[in-house]
Amino acid sequence: MNGNGLDVDLYGLIPPLARTIDLMAPEVARHHMQVSCLAYRLAEAAAFPPDEQRTIAVAGALHDIGAFSSRERIDLLDFELKAPHQHAVAGAVLLEEFEPLHEAARIVRFHHVPWENGAGLTFRGQPVPMGSHVLHLADRMAVLIDPTAPILSQVPGIVAAAAEHEGDRFAPELIEAAGRLAERDAAWLEAGSSHGEAVFRRFFQHARAPLDMEGMLAFSELLCRVIDFKSAFTATHSSGVAAVASALAAVLGFSEEDQAMMQIAARLHDLGKLAIPSEILEKPGPLTPEERAIMRTHVYYTYEILQAVPELGAIASWSALHQERLSGDGYPFGYAADRLPLGARTIAVADVFTALAEDRPYRPGMKKEEAMAVLERLAHDGELDKDVVAALIARYDEMDRARAEAQRDAARAYHIFRKTIEVQSAA
């Protein structure tokens, strides 16, 4: 794969990412795509410009990305919310660091601000985009959809329930747009469909947001924070793996372009953990057999997300195969050595090394001799690549410094993130 030719459409990454977030709890299945579809059609019915319609659709697809636990996600399904703003702030703070999602982040930040007869055009001294009010109405209508009943029979009741709050919670012009939307069966069939990702792609069939290598590196940094900041237990892990994997790639003779690809792949290797409830990620003691089974699914979800974007090529396979073992005893596919590219073997070693060397809430990081012994045993047993392990051990101190520095930076960023959410949510 030639890095100069890397051309990934951001809009193609968003639907599988949204689906993975919804896997956290069955109660919220397809919620992000439902909201995205309804928000786009509401904006269309309200005559928003096409580029704003698309920005609102993107915000809808990612609007609850700051809700990290399954309990929080389920609570957001209540039509009447008690504490709606913290997850919105968290999502905005994460998304706004990536320039192509900056406008979508503003919409997410305010998507639970009530209209209050026009007073909702500002919130805590900041202007609120109308797109946030579109998203608010779409989100609240989506939570009223009963997946067990025909969608078209529910539309009059859903629109009527929203209309009861015209003026206080929802803007009158958007309630009027919802009334017009009630007469368009296709809009509701889209929202109720199990093919929301295909619908989303149709919205963007004449628009692209291309990411070259530099853009994909920036987007992978955003996703690295979304993955790791989900839990204090994992707040620096992907950053450490990426630092070690890219350093190893340089030692192993990867080209500069492939080293950049390695950094992207390592940052994304735990992307599927977005589907894992924080209650499991943060459990201080041993996991139950059921919890371990849930945890193991994260690698397959990483595979599902990245395979949905064929332009990623080798990046996808390097990320998705990091839990496979040369012996064939890994997961999720049970691939053996002949199916595992050097990139995947490199991330596997970097992942194991980082897990051994980093401090965990339930144990300190292993000392050098102990960690090396574990790596050598895994290489001897045919689980990890001997040459990659040997390259790491030969430069152990250098690799450990790269890991520690990257994780210190990530820890500082996580502290700032939590403090920002605390301050902005309480303002």
Side-chain angles (χ1 to χ4, degrees), residues 149-157 182 184-189:
I151 183 69
L152 295 183
S153 66
Q154 301 178 58
V155 173
R184 295 172 55 186
D185 289 355
W188 295 91
L189 291 169

Side-chain angles (χ1 to χ4, degrees), residues 79-90:
F79 189 77
E80 302 287 345
L81 292 176
K82 298 180 177 64
H85 297 298
Q86 180 166 317
H87 80 282
V89 170

Side-chain angles (χ1 to χ4, degrees), residues 6 16 21 34-35 38 43 51 62 71 93 122 144 155 204 227 236 250 274 359 377 404 406 410 419 423:
L6 189 63
I21 300 167
Q34 284 184 333
V35 172
L38 281 176
D51 60 334
L62 301 175
R71 182 68 265 164
V93 170
T122 60
L144 295 176
V155 173
F204 291 86
I227 297 160
T236 68
L274 295 179
D359 292 331
R377 175 176 57 78
K419 190 66 177 177
V423 170

Side-chain angles (χ1 to χ4, degrees), residues 375-397:
L375 290 167
E376 288 174 335
R377 175 176 57 78
L378 292 173
H380 179 269
D381 292 345
E383 295 193 38
L384 297 179
D385 186 293
K386 291 181 180 180
D387 293 336
V388 180
V389 169
L392 187 149
I393 288 177
R395 297 166 176 79
Y396 188 97
D397 292 340

